[in-house]
Amino acid sequence: MTDESRPADAQPKHRGKRGRRRKPRSKRKKALVISAWTAAGVVVLGGTGLGYVYFKLNGNIKGVDINAALGTDRPLDVDNGSQDILVLGSDSRSGKNAKYGKDEGAARSDTAMIVHVYKGHKKASVVSIPRDTLITRPECAVKDGKTDPGGERQMFNTAYEVGGPACAVKTVEKMSGIRMDHYVEVDFTGFKKLIDTLGGVDITTKQPIKDKDSHLDLPAGDHQLNGEQALGLVRTRHGVGDGSDLGRIQLQQAFIKALINRVKDIDLFSNPKKLWDLADASTSAITTDSDLDTVKDLASFAGGLKGIGAGDMKMVTLPVQYDPADRNRVIPLEEADRQVWDALRADKPIPKSATDKSAGDKGAAGKVVTSE
């Protein structure tokens, strides 16, 4: 398998000192909670920027300096007003996450989505990368000044395991030839708390879903999922379909749309305590790149996404096929993948032909859960 790098015809973008795009500032101070696991299930917040609230929420946010970690070994970008965000769900079993499995000393990216926000910030495309995708992983810095050499036929989710957020970003950029403008990560316990603070998320299941591994037992029918149930739904592999990661991705995509609808239905400003609780939960749940690790920067970022609803997002799985040598793994369809990345780089919709031959977005799992 070859490792895609930046195409020769990609045009450089004029960037600021830290490589961030110009983005409009909010003209009024307000607290705004929007879905950024819209971007994959994480909620990001813009706060008032005053007194205790500002410092408390700022202290919640964990930041990673991706620009410093990767230096100049990154794709050039096209200055067309779009944004590209890598959103990861971490599957660490340490601390409060230990109930979900044995702690083996390192986390992997259980969920990975690239969110492309189109110029004008009215629409977005979301590309899910199966965690079991075999890729050529680049060399990455690890602890104690050492490096991991990477190599061919490495599972995608091992990039985060060996080198953390910076290696995950570097791997995605090598695969796509697209520079990631931002990075957002959420873990198990943060996700659960966020859903509970929202008051749950409404979905409908067309058939029972039961999976002891993900602590999920849902009969067919209408449900308001609490945090534990929501986490079980986005983690389950064995409760629906053939037990593959491809089916799980379809459930995740359905849940994200339900989450977006839930956030937009809440009248946050009529309940100051609810607003504070959501602000505290959402900022505690996430790790971001250093360009988003303050309330002020998150507010600006969130303001640029507030016009995007569930119906404005096109969600696909990276075109893949089952690996002939191991049916528990998938491998990229390189020509089809190139269609996806070329479309996003040019700020155009992903063509339907790109996913026609993919094993992703197929099967029954995508019809099991709805948010209507």
Side-chain angles (χ1 to χ4, degrees):
M1 184 190 320
T2 59
D3 184 18
E4 293 183 25
S5 58
R6 177 183 58 85
D9 60 351
Q11 297 300 312
K13 106 174 12 170
H14 300 292
R15 309 181 69 90
K17 291 182 180 180
R18 299 182 66 190
R20 78 170 69 168
R21 297 179 191 269
R22 297 186 185 95
K23 49 184 182 255
R25 294 288 180 187
S26 175
K27 294 183 179 180
R28 53 196 176 114
K29 294 179 180 179
K30 57 186 177 179
L32 174 66
V33 177
I34 68 166
S35 164
W37 235 37
T38 324
V42 184
V43 170
V44 296
L45 169 119
T48 62
L50 296 176
Y52 171 77
V53 171
Y54 180 85
F55 289 107
K56 172 66 167 69
L57 298 183
N58 261 2
N60 287 346
I61 305 167
K62 299 176 286 293
V64 179
D65 195 341
I66 301 293
N67 292 328
L70 298 186
T72 59
D73 184 21
R74 306 183 69 182
L76 297 177
D77 216 333
V78 179
D79 190 7
N80 55 18
S82 66
Q83 283 192 324
D84 296 284
I85 306 128
L86 174 60
V87 181
L88 294 185
S90 166
D91 72 347
S92 169
R93 266 63 173 188
S94 62
K96 295 180 180 180
N97 292 337
K99 65 182 290 185
Y100 300 105
K102 181 181 178 181
D103 181 11
E104 297 180 347
R108 296 188 180 187
S109 50
D110 204 46
T111 301
M113 298 181 176
I114 296 168
V115 181
H116 178 85
V117 181
Y118 290 95
K119 179 181 179 180
H121 293 199
K122 300 297 184 185
K123 292 184 179 295
S125 285
V126 180
V127 180
S128 296
I129 303 178
R131 54 171 286 173
D132 298 333
T133 306
L134 296 177
I135 54 137
T136 297
R137 196 179 71 228
E139 178 182 279
C140 287
V142 294
K143 295 180 180 179
D144 302 323
K146 299 178 181 178
T147 60
D148 181 277
E152 297 182 356
R153 291 184 62 82
Q154 303 292 312
M155 281 177 56
F156 171 80
N157 69 340
T158 62
Y160 183 91
E161 179 186 19
V162 302
C167 189
V169 171
K170 185 175 184 178
T171 299
V172 168
E173 291 185 344
K174 292 294 185 181
M175 291 171 62
S176 66
I178 299 173
R179 185 185 181 111
M180 296 295 106
D181 297 288
H182 292 300
Y183 171 83
V184 179
E185 175 190 331
V186 67
D187 72 2
F188 286 171
T189 53
F191 177 75
K192 283 173 48 180
K193 182 179 179 181
L194 185 56
I195 299 304
D196 285 335
T197 306
L198 277 170
V201 174
D202 296 326
I203 66 161
T204 299
T205 55
K206 302 295 186 181
Q207 66 184 54
I209 305 177
K210 189 170 185 177
D211 183 357
K212 64 179 182 179
D213 291 336
S214 61
H215 302 264
L216 185 66
D217 187 358
L218 294 176
D222 297 332
H223 305 278
Q224 186 173 78
L225 302 185
N226 61 27
E228 184 74 28
Q229 293 169 317
L231 180 60
L233 182 68
V234 300
R235 291 185 63 239
T236 186
R237 300 179 62 139
H238 307 296
V240 176
D242 63 0
S244 73
D245 194 40
L246 301 181
R248 174 167 59 181
I249 285 173
Q250 290 181 288
L251 295 179
Q252 291 170 350
Q253 293 171 345
F255 180 81
I256 289 165
K257 291 182 178 181
L259 175 59
I260 296 169
N261 291 334
R262 174 61 174 160
V263 171
K264 287 185 176 294
D265 286 343
I266 297 176
D267 182 9
L268 297 172
F269 299 100
S270 66
N271 189 334
K273 183 180 185 304
K274 181 83 165 181
L275 180 60
W276 165 255
D277 288 345
L278 281 170
D280 190 33
S282 59
T283 52
S284 298
I286 60 175
T287 298
T288 72
D289 64 275
S290 55
D291 286 347
L292 293 181
D293 64 359
T294 69
V295 170
K296 181 179 179 181
D297 287 329
L298 275 177
S300 179
F301 176 69
L305 301 181
K306 64 182 179 181
I308 301 175
D312 303 315
M313 302 179 70
K314 171 67 174 178
M315 307 185 79
V316 302
T317 302
L318 182 74
V320 293
Q321 67 179 26
Y322 287 103
D323 179 21
D326 184 352
R327 294 287 293 178
N328 293 316
R329 303 288 180 262
V330 294
I331 56 177
L333 294 172
E334 294 187 10
E335 184 176 341
D337 287 2
R338 195 169 297 111
Q339 283 185 273
V340 172
W341 304 134
D342 287 349
L344 298 188
R345 193 179 301 108
D347 201 38
K348 295 181 179 179
I350 296 171
K352 186 178 182 303
S353 59
T355 57
D356 282 347
K357 297 180 180 179
S358 174
D361 306 318
K362 304 286 197 304
K367 300 177 182 179
V368 171
V369 172
T370 67
S371 57
E372 299 177 354

